[in-house]
Amino acid sequence: MISAASDRGPGERLNVLFVTVDDWRNEAGCYGVKEIHTPNIDRLAAKGMRFDRAYCQFSVCNPSRSSFLTGLRPDTTGILGNTIHFRKTMPDVVTLPQLFRESGWRTASFGKTFHVFRKTNSQDIVGVNGGRSFDEAEIFKATERGRQGEGRNLTGGRVRWCSWLAADGDDEDQADGQNAREAVRFLEQHRDRPFFLAVGFHKPHDPFIAPKKYFDLYPVDSIRLPRDPADREADLPLAISGSWKAEFDKFTDRERREFKRAYYAGTSFMDAQLGKVLDALSRLHLWDNTIVVLLGDHGYHLGERGWWNKNTVFELSARSPLIVWAPGMKAAGQPCSRLVEFVDLYPTLAELCGLRPPGNLEGRSAVPLLADPARPWKKAAYTQVNRGRGGHGRSVRTERWRYIEWDGGKEGVELYDERQDPGEWHNLAADEACADTVKELSALLGNSGG
Ligand SMILES: [Ca+2]
């Protein structure tokens, strides 16, 4: 067994710090985006392993989180939207934190780990976080002061979430500042026992609110906008559609810059909160016995294809950041460009900690990559999306290609050569030269359990 856990003394149990960031696409200095300020994410990446091809299984909050927190794919969880709690479809599933809790770890969640439901009156959904998963779970709210400041809605109020606020007050006037504070408090209190601490940062998710000092990092005129290439082919109508699109199309360049700036401000705010938790690991000498996982729950478009949201199966939405630190990992500080899926996190953490996971998990432990990030690995990563009347999209990503079928292919098929066309502008699905590739990838997509 290559497990890092097996290299350690008998009975020594590793802690887990599991940080989920909401709607965070691969925008960070360590991902090559030089204009964003993310020193804490970058130092974690320099210490651990940055995954460059990590994919969510569904590009919306609840289905993505329900998948990686149960280790099961969306077709198995039955969670394909934001309205149904996973305990409704899988009352007895053992979640990732629950496995640790039932194995003697102290488990806690601050902020949004599982998707937050507004109405939570079921005994099973205590504290909006799935009562069986955590010994303690809390969601915080901004203070009155943190709701004041300078900002506006970019659609004249027609799309309610589409607003930003350079807020008065300091970090702890925002929910994420309180998340960090409680996480540090938890570490101080429970440093001597095995723990699984989940921290769910809500920013850069909308509405785009952060203390003003983070907006001040980014003069609005300095924000660079994406430009869709002139030779792009028309998008399939299913891929980008809906009432929001008409509002996005009205944005002026100034409004586009304001949107992206606010997303950057939220990312830097989140980074600073992460930094407080990482600092606590140093101060409390916890790095040598604590695994750290940092991920975004799915990606995001910042204006590419005229879209300012998630909920597509393009690379921008399907791919998301993932950084892992494990004590004793052989390839510390190296990046990994092999395909990994978020459904792999459950078996990975179970193996690192020497726990026996449920037998029906659908991911594969990525522990071998932590020792050798260049070794041959997964052939494919799968991501889905449901665009309501726009159809259900299923995509498969290999190291070379992305292939998508809408409603089983009845509503459209897309094929992109990621090597030649990383922006996914030229759909090759109807290209005769690609007929064999389409056939092969369609079969791979049909076999998406693997
Ligand atoms: Ca999300």
Side-chain angles (χ1 to χ4, degrees):
M1 212 163 107
I2 315 169
S3 164
S6 64
D7 299 336
R8 309 187 69 82
E12 187 183 356
R13 298 190 290 179
L14 291 172
N15 306 309
V16 178
L17 170 63
F18 190 87
V19 184
T20 311
V21 181
D22 213 349
D23 286 20
W24 176 37
R25 81 174 198 183
N26 297 59
E27 295 280 338
C30 65
Y31 280 107
V33 182
K34 294 306 172 205
E35 55 265 48
I36 199 165
H37 189 71
T38 54
N40 297 295
I41 294 162
D42 300 347
R43 72 171 148 128
L44 181 63
K47 184 178 176 67
M49 184 170 287
R50 182 195 78 219
F51 288 86
D52 289 342
R53 287 187 185 137
Y55 294 95
C56 69
Q57 273 47 83
F58 204 109
S59 60
V60 188
C61 296
N62 187 36
S64 174
R65 291 165 187 251
S66 297
S67 170
F68 67 71
L69 290 164
T70 63
L72 302 170
R73 295 181 188 277
D75 288 332
T76 305
T77 65
I79 301 298
L80 307 177
N82 277 348
T83 56
I84 299 174
H85 194 282
F86 66 89
R87 288 283 180 212
K88 288 255 167 67
T89 56
M90 302 175 292
D92 298 321
V93 72
V94 177
T95 70
L96 171 64
Q98 187 182 350
L99 175 73
F100 281 82
R101 189 182 186 200
E102 291 175 358
S103 306
W105 270 248
R106 172 91 188 168
T107 64
S109 169
F110 301 111
K112 177 175 168 181
T113 300
F114 291 103
H115 184 66
V116 176
F117 288 79
R118 286 200 178 81
K119 288 181 184 165
T120 52
N121 46 18
S122 156
Q123 196 61 27
D124 266 350
I125 311 172
V126 177
V128 300
N129 254 313
R132 280 175 258 171
S133 295
F134 296 113
D135 294 301
E136 53 179 310
E138 222 167 326
I139 300 280
F140 300 97
K141 285 188 173 146
T143 64
E144 269 310 307
R145 193 170 171 225
R147 294 167 210 250
Q148 312 297 319
E150 183 205 340
R152 67 172 181 138
N153 186 291
L154 295 169
T155 64
R158 288 181 296 277
V159 180
R160 259 181 59 193
W161 58 264
C162 208
S163 60
W164 63 270
L165 182 73
D168 294 344
D170 213 332
D171 293 357
E172 290 182 15
D173 287 298
Q174 302 299 328
D176 282 342
Q178 297 165 53
N179 287 335
R181 181 192 66 208
E182 286 307 298
V184 170
R185 194 257 323 146
F186 179 93
L187 291 172
E188 286 167 348
Q189 266 179 12
H190 300 290
R191 54 179 293 196
D192 294 327
R193 59 198 300 180
F195 61 79
F196 183 108
L197 171 59
V199 183
F201 290 125
H202 191 241
K203 297 303 142 189
H205 193 289
D206 69 77
F208 306 102
I209 301 171
K212 181 175 180 298
K213 63 182 172 184
Y214 300 100
F215 282 79
D216 291 343
L217 292 170
Y218 305 102
V220 72
D221 294 332
S222 72
I223 298 293
R224 287 192 305 165
L225 295 175
R227 296 286 171 205
D228 292 356
D231 67 339
R232 61 181 291 196
E233 288 161 17
D235 290 311
L236 286 179
L238 299 179
I240 301 281
S241 59
S243 57
W244 293 344
K245 180 67 167 66
E247 293 295 332
F248 298 154
D249 287 345
K250 293 179 199 161
F251 282 167
T252 62
D253 274 357
R254 168 81 191 188
E255 286 160 345
R256 292 185 183 102
R257 288 199 169 88
E258 284 182 47
F259 192 122
K260 192 166 173 181
R261 176 204 196 201
Y263 184 93
Y264 274 26
T267 305
S268 288
F269 168 52
M270 172 273 291
D271 175 87
Q273 308 323 298
L274 172 71
K276 294 174 187 175
V277 183
L278 300 183
D279 285 347
L281 290 184
S282 299
R283 184 161 46 82
L284 300 168
H285 307 290
L286 285 167
W287 285 103
D288 287 344
N289 63 352
T290 303
I291 297 161
V292 182
V293 174
L294 173 70
L295 76 155
D297 63 348
H298 49 72
Y300 207 83
H301 289 238
L302 286 172
E304 295 86 1
R305 297 184 147 80
W307 189 242
W308 296 84
N309 206 264
K310 55 245 184 184
N311 207 16
T312 77
V313 275
F314 289 119
E315 187 79 355
L316 284 167
S317 212
R319 176 177 172 244
S320 205
L322 174 65
I323 299 169
V324 177
W325 157 256
M329 62 190 283
K330 286 201 178 74
Q334 295 181 37
C336 177
S337 59
R338 292 291 178 249
L339 298 168
V340 293
E341 300 177 277
F342 287 171
V343 75
D344 300 335
L345 289 169
Y346 194 144
T348 301
L349 287 171
E351 183 180 345
L352 285 170
C353 293
L355 299 181
R356 186 187 297 273
N360 62 337
L361 297 192
E362 294 174 314
R364 173 179 179 187
S365 168
V367 166
L369 289 174
L370 299 178
D372 179 6
R375 61 176 289 154
W377 199 243
K378 277 195 165 183
K379 195 175 176 187
Y382 299 91
T383 304
Q384 302 183 33
V385 72
N386 194 339
R387 298 199 58 86
R389 279 177 297 171
H392 193 95
R394 291 173 184 271
S395 79
V396 59
R397 174 72 156 87
T398 64
E399 291 198 356
R400 173 85 187 265
W401 305 96
R402 175 175 299 286
Y403 174 75
I404 307 165
E405 290 181 357
W406 292 94
D407 285 351
K410 291 195 295 291
E411 296 293 335
V413 178
E414 296 171 69
L415 175 71
Y416 300 104
D417 182 344
E418 301 287 339
R419 204 178 292 164
Q420 307 291 334
D421 178 27
E424 300 171 330
W425 298 110
H426 302 292
N427 181 6
L428 302 174
D431 190 324
E432 266 183 36
C434 295
D436 286 348
T437 303
V438 166
K439 204 170 156 191
E440 186 190 317
L441 291 171
S442 183
L444 200 56
L445 189 60
N447 183 27
S448 61

